[in-house]
Amino acid sequence: MSRRRDQTLLIVDAEPSARRLHSDALASSGYTVLQAADETAARTLLENEVCAAIVLDAFNFPGDVEAFILAARERDAGTVIVCVTSDTSMSSAVSAMQMGCANVLAKPASAARLRSAVSEALSAPITAPGAKAAVHTSAEVEILGQSAPMREITALAERFAPSTAPVLITGES
């Protein structure tokens, strides 16, 4: 079930070609797509429109991305954020998820992948900001190790468990 009948999306990217590609990909799926080149233009659009999703590059954002995401969520807690970025490091993906992005895609994202990510994000249940998803653990699974890094990895795994996004954990065995 979708979040609302009117599926207006906002693309925020300083690169005109990225805005155009993302807009074309999403408009072909029937979304109403708005575009902004910077934070000021994006905030102005959000004052007049309620957007179901915002597609942005959290690491090359033309402005203060955390303040922008917070403002968008305060306006409508149901707005989902999808990050499309050229910074594809694991730490950047984790940072984007911590900022509240529902998904992180590598630039250039294919039209099909972008449509799929937005569709999945919009079909997910709306949760209040800061709410924790229910975590189900199996009695058969036991994590070995109590060091700080292992506790950190376990906490990250619990955070990402409800997501359908692939997660890669690397490090020493």
Side-chain angles (χ1 to χ4, degrees), residues 13-89:
D13 201 306
E15 299 174 32
S17 60
R19 286 194 315 272
R20 187 176 53 255
L21 286 172
H22 297 156
S23 179
D24 291 348
L26 296 167
S28 69
S29 291
Y31 297 109
T32 300
V33 181
L34 306 173
Q35 298 181 34
D38 58 35
E39 180 181 7
T40 303
R43 284 181 182 262
T44 300
L45 285 169
L46 286 178
E47 287 175 9
N48 302 313
E49 297 284 340
V50 175
C51 295
I54 299 172
V55 177
L56 54 77
D57 185 338
F59 304 103
N60 293 314
F61 186 78
D64 183 347
V65 71
E66 291 186 51
F68 176 74
I69 290 172
L70 182 62
R73 286 277 170 74
E74 284 177 356
R75 172 132 167 85
D76 182 356
T79 299
V80 294
I81 312 293
V82 175
C83 179
V84 182
T85 183
S86 55
D87 185 350
T88 57
S89 68

Side-chain angles (χ1 to χ4, degrees), residues 2-22:
S2 66
R3 291 166 184 264
R4 53 180 69 84
R5 279 185 220 135
D6 180 23
Q7 298 283 308
T8 301
L9 310 180
L10 174 59
I11 311 286
V12 186
D13 201 306
E15 299 174 32
S17 60
R19 286 194 315 272
R20 187 176 53 255
L21 286 172
H22 297 156

